[in-house]
Amino acid sequence: KLMEYLAMGKPVLLTDMNAHRAVIPNEDDAFYVPRCTSEDFAEGIRRAYSQQDRFALIGSRGRAKAETELTWEHQARILRDYLQDVMESKIKLQGSRS
């Protein structure tokens, strides 16, 4: 869902977890809550609403990220480059004998 919301140019309210931080590491590009509780989400919504003047900017940054970094083509290039590095022994896989 995160990628869909970013592609739609929507500001997002996220729990502070590694999977979300891997996509949006910057606090300026999303609203984060520490835990997945109704109280934390309510506070996050209040905080976001108090900064609604930033919604358009946050949304446009998310849309740009979706268009450039979150496409299947871009992800395929990352995988291709990684596999190329493994084949050229630039990266050693755990448990590798060579």
Side-chain angles (χ1 to χ4, degrees):
K1 295 292 181 193
L2 174 56
M3 285 26 159
E4 292 173 14
Y5 298 146
L6 294 175
M8 293 187 320
K10 301 292 184 186
V12 290
L13 177 64
L14 304 170
T15 51
D16 196 354
M17 56 192 257
N18 291 338
H20 291 154
R21 289 287 183 176
V23 177
I24 305 178
N26 190 338
E27 296 276 338
D28 293 334
D29 294 335
F31 297 98
Y32 277 99
V33 295
R35 292 169 305 281
C36 189
T37 66
S38 56
E39 293 83 11
D40 285 345
F41 273 103
E43 177 55 33
I45 290 168
R46 282 190 288 274
R47 191 170 17 92
Y49 187 74
S50 74
Q51 300 175 46
Q52 62 185 329
D53 58 318
R54 296 182 47 227
F55 285 4
L57 176 61
I58 292 170
S60 67
R61 285 181 181 167
R63 172 76 184 188
K65 179 181 269 295
E67 290 175 336
T68 59
E69 299 175 30
L70 302 176
T71 65
W72 285 113
E73 183 178 322
H74 182 75
Q75 296 304 309
R77 279 194 304 269
I78 292 170
L79 178 58
R80 180 203 62 209
D81 294 347
Y82 172 78
L83 293 174
Q84 186 68 39
D85 287 348
V86 169
M87 289 177 15
E88 294 172 359
S89 297
K90 293 178 184 175
I91 295 175
K92 295 283 187 193
L93 298 178
Q94 192 173 23
S96 174
R97 294 182 187 179
S98 53

